[in-house]
Amino acid sequence: MIEVNGLTKSYFHKGKRVTVFKDLSFKINRGESIALLGRNGAGKSTLLRLLGGIDLPDRGTIRRNGSISWPVGLTGGFQGSLSARENLTFVCKIYSSADEVQDKIKYVEDFAEIGEYFDRPFKTYSSGMRSRVAFGLSMAFDFDVYLIDEVTSAGDERFRAKSREILQERHRNADFIMVDHNLLGLKLHCNRAFLLHQGKLIEFDSLSEGIEKHKSLLLNPSESVADRKSTQDRQPSAIPTQHPHRGATPRVAPLANSSQQISKVKTSQVKGDKK
Amino acid sequence: MPSVESEAENSARRTTGYGLQTVPPWRIQWRVIDALVYRELKTRVSQVKFGFLGVLVQPLIVMSVFLLIFGLFRGARGGPLDIGLFLAAGIVFYTLFNDIAIRSLNAMDANEALFFYRPVKPVDTVIARAVVESGLYALILIIIVAGVWIIREQIIISSFLQLVASFMLLAVTALGVGLSVMVAGHLFPFFKQVVPLFFRPLWFMSGVFFSLQGIPQQFRPYLSWNPILQAIELARNAFNQSYPLEQSISMGYLVVCALVSLAFGLGVYVNNEKNLLTR
């Protein structure tokens, strides 16, 4: 179980304080896996870092029962000048007893299937190879909750199939908090969704509902997110709206607009896949 | 499987929550330091040719150059002590202190990626570096002493215990300084440029190439406060008991230095750990 209360995080950048999110409170029960949604830069990775305990919040508390993995992602956690084997030895020396270290490394080596690259410096790896090693390493240990930050989206078809399989197997006694822009993967493993938008977190009890909202917010960021919550904490929209009658005739103009955008996005995705 | 312990985030303790619930905290820290020492050595070795030997060669070459320069131009000034040992004690001890203190400045940056694993705390990176440096310079000292022993063919260490003690106490003093310097460098980044400059004069004030006996009486009190000089003089006396020790030089002073420095460093660190961990 993870219980978060009044979590606020900001960064100090060039003399300005930038708030990532403010006053987040939520509870994740045992047996619930969460898809963390939101546009790029919404604070998903920051939230994972806070949950994983490798960054500290300005205010607020996080209570955890059980063990939580480090945020498994493509960046961080690996020393570029060392090989995968050396990096893994480092982590295994901390997280397992001395006699298990070699078994764990063997497990990750077999899982990653990156051949001789396993003994080359980590900085020479492609993002696919990185994700194989990073994901394999986290799966070598039994955590109650895994924090997975877009690590499966960089791999090829074979790796994705493998990771899907292993996640499903782990799902029996572990939970996930996943960030992934490949929404299909989320659908397989998660049963709830949290959507981060403009410093707020919206909870959805059904994943598909969350994904719908997430998609529409991507196309129209100024859209109100408050309709699920009480209207009093609605913020004035940061982006000036182009629709003067928005209050009177809601949704009509934006919908027409966004359906066009959807078709554009779709075609570009198809192109991207063929490359 | 799930533990009943829970943790309030704001107290950055290293007890629960990352799959190590059954492992006692001191054991976790031991593992972390062990892992960091491993990674420190691996990076060092990967930076030079010929593996671990290569790591030893560079400081050894520096030592030999100094030995040559001072040995040739200044003549034997070590009194009853072999000039090689006289200089080796000075250079190895000074470099040990300097390296631990200055490398601590960058310990956090160099290990940035590894703070991804929650058991790894900034203090561990400094301790790991201190351990690696101490081991490295202990080895170098052994090599030099062995070299001198082969040439001189006589017993050249009269008090092994005193030698080890002064070495270790100096390393602990440096660890304390290193911790303070790391925190200061994190809070005020300009410190990172200033600190190495600040340490430079110590080279001339630590008796690396002179003995305290060799300088005028009235200046001695101004130099003997320096724990590096204390450790160096003690080490020389440990090599050969007839090497004269000033009254102001004592093991007790060095012990106090080490304890005060370590306590201060840990105090500064504990009060700022949250700050160091917040990005």
Side-chain angles (χ1 to χ4, degrees):
Chain A
M1 186 207 66
I2 301 173
E3 199 179 331
V4 170
N5 245 318
L7 200 68
T8 300
K9 179 71 184 172
S10 64
Y11 288 106
F12 207 60
H13 182 65
K14 290 190 177 163
K16 271 189 197 165
R17 204 155 259 294
V18 182
T19 307
V20 185
F21 37 70
K22 215 172 172 181
D23 266 340
L24 300 190
S25 298
F26 55 85
K27 197 175 163 188
I28 302 172
N29 294 313
R30 199 85 179 83
E32 288 178 343
S33 287
I34 310 292
L36 204 51
L37 305 169
R39 55 191 296 134
N40 292 344
K44 303 186 293 292
S45 297
T46 308
L47 184 56
L48 283 193
R49 292 170 67 90
L50 290 174
L51 292 177
I54 59 170
D55 200 348
L56 300 179
D58 301 355
R59 280 196 304 280
T61 54
I62 302 173
R63 297 184 73 81
R64 322 176 169 83
N65 278 347
S67 58
I68 299 188
S69 79
W70 56 88
V72 184
L74 293 183
T75 52
F78 289 92
Q79 202 85 35
S81 56
L82 300 182
S83 70
R85 189 184 304 281
E86 288 159 347
N87 271 302
L88 297 184
T89 310
F90 173 84
V91 180
C92 295
K93 269 173 175 283
I94 296 175
Y95 281 90
S96 64
S97 56
D99 48 324
E100 287 174 335
V101 171
Q102 289 313 318
D103 296 344
K104 302 270 185 200
I105 294 173
K106 187 88 186 73
Y107 171 85
V108 184
E109 190 176 4
D110 291 344
F111 179 85
E113 296 178 323
I114 58 170
E116 59 193 22
Y117 270 95
F118 203 69
D119 287 305
R120 291 197 196 164
F122 197 78
K123 61 186 168 206
T124 62
Y125 293 9
S126 71
S127 55
M129 290 192 257
R130 280 171 201 222
S131 64
R132 280 163 175 258
V133 175
F135 185 77
L137 172 62
S138 66
M139 288 300 145
F141 300 97
D142 285 320
F143 289 106
D144 295 331
V145 180
Y146 290 86
L147 308 174
I148 297 172
D149 189 355
E150 277 190 72
V151 75
T152 52
S153 48
D156 56 22
E157 220 20 75
R158 179 175 160 76
F159 167 64
R160 281 194 207 185
K162 257 173 112 176
S163 55
R164 211 175 298 139
E165 214 169 275
I166 199 167
L167 281 176
Q168 227 132 35
E169 181 225 302
R170 269 314 140 82
H171 212 304
R172 267 175 243 143
N173 33 30
D175 302 326
F176 310 114
I177 300 177
M178 290 179 83
V179 173
D180 207 326
H181 290 286
N182 167 22
L183 299 171
L184 276 176
L186 292 179
K187 281 182 180 158
L188 270 172
H189 308 297
C190 303
N191 37 26
R192 284 175 74 197
F194 287 179
L195 175 55
L196 271 172
H197 184 70
Q198 291 175 352
K200 292 195 187 292
L201 185 137
I202 315 148
E203 294 182 39
F204 295 90
D205 289 329
S206 99
L207 180 66
S208 49
E209 209 179 316
I211 289 180
E212 279 311 306
K213 189 73 185 165
H214 168 60
K215 278 183 175 165
S216 72
L217 279 176
L218 277 183
L219 299 172
N220 187 7
S222 62
E223 184 179 321
S224 159
V225 294
D227 50 87
R228 286 183 54 88
K229 295 214 159 190
S230 60
T231 41
Q232 60 186 358
D233 56 19
R234 180 190 300 210
Q235 279 185 322
S237 171
I239 301 163
T241 168
Q242 305 111 309
H243 316 294
H245 305 296
R246 194 163 175 252
T249 55
R251 299 267 165 126
V252 179
L255 260 184
N257 205 352
S258 58
S259 64
Q260 278 174 356
Q261 284 179 18
I262 285 176
S263 59
K264 271 184 203 164
V265 170
K266 274 184 180 163
T267 50
S268 69
Q269 269 177 349
V270 171
K271 275 179 196 163
D273 284 346
K274 277 182 181 168
K275 263 180 205 169
Chain B
M1 268 239 306
S3 88
V4 278
E5 279 178 285
S6 70
E7 183 190 35
E9 177 53 39
N10 283 353
S11 67
R13 290 181 300 145
R14 61 163 76 230
T15 42
T16 57
Y18 32 79
L20 293 168
Q21 280 86 344
T22 52
V23 185
W26 64 269
R27 182 103 196 108
I28 296 175
Q29 180 152 26
W30 178 262
R31 281 186 187 176
V32 169
I33 292 170
D34 176 45
L36 281 167
V37 167
Y38 166 84
R39 98 110 213 146
E40 201 78 36
L41 283 175
K42 281 285 172 192
T43 358
R44 291 283 182 88
V45 171
S46 73
Q47 277 164 359
V48 293
K49 284 183 179 171
F50 313 120
F52 188 69
L53 268 183
V55 178
L56 286 178
V57 162
Q58 196 235 344
L60 267 178
I61 291 176
V62 174
M63 300 282 154
S64 348
V65 170
F66 276 119
L67 282 179
L68 265 178
I69 293 174
F70 289 115
L72 287 178
F73 293 102
R74 294 183 53 97
R77 279 291 209 75
L81 189 59
D82 179 88
I83 180 69
L85 292 179
F86 177 83
L87 287 173
I91 298 172
V92 169
F93 274 54
Y94 172 81
T95 328
L96 170 77
F97 182 89
N98 207 46
D99 268 24
I100 293 179
I102 289 187
R103 277 178 182 276
S104 302
L105 261 184
N106 302 317
M108 269 191 78
D109 295 337
N111 293 293
E112 188 68 53
L114 305 176
F115 292 121
F116 232 68
Y117 308 104
R118 199 144 71 102
V120 182
K121 301 284 183 211
V123 65
D124 302 321
T125 64
V126 177
I127 296 177
R129 289 210 155 175
V131 169
V132 170
E133 296 304 324
S134 306
L136 205 60
Y137 285 106
L139 258 179
I140 286 170
L141 197 60
I142 290 171
I143 292 174
I144 294 176
V145 169
V148 173
W149 179 69
I150 289 167
I151 298 168
R152 294 276 298 254
E153 290 180 329
Q154 65 186 57
I155 296 162
I156 48 171
I157 298 179
S158 27
S159 171
F160 186 69
L161 192 67
Q162 187 178 331
L163 183 64
V164 173
S166 52
F167 186 91
M168 303 262 271
L169 288 169
L170 186 64
V172 172
T173 312
L175 174 66
V177 173
L179 275 172
S180 329
V181 157
M182 174 190 71
V183 174
H186 188 85
L187 295 181
F188 314 103
F190 78 94
F191 240 76
K192 292 191 179 178
Q193 271 95 53
V194 178
V195 166
L197 290 179
F198 180 75
F199 277 43
R200 201 54 52 78
L202 282 177
W203 168 256
F204 300 101
M205 293 162 63
S206 301
V208 175
F209 44 84
F210 60 83
S211 74
L212 196 55
Q213 290 278 332
I215 61 161
Q217 181 80 54
Q218 68 264 35
F219 295 128
R220 289 182 200 170
Y222 299 108
L223 292 173
S224 53
W225 60 269
N226 180 352
I228 312 175
L229 180 120
Q230 295 260 347
I232 291 176
E233 290 285 280
L234 282 168
R236 286 169 180 163
N237 180 256
F239 280 130
N240 187 340
Q241 224 81 85
S242 53
Y243 179 84
L245 266 193
E246 261 300 282
Q247 257 193 336
S248 52
I249 306 291
S250 76
M251 193 60 90
Y253 180 81
L254 199 57
V255 171
V256 171
C257 267
L259 288 181
V260 168
S261 163
L262 188 65
F264 182 78
L266 285 175
V268 168
Y269 172 78
V270 167
N271 280 305
N272 287 287
E273 192 183 46
K274 254 186 88 173
N275 231 321
L276 297 176
L277 288 173
T278 308
R279 246 134 281 176

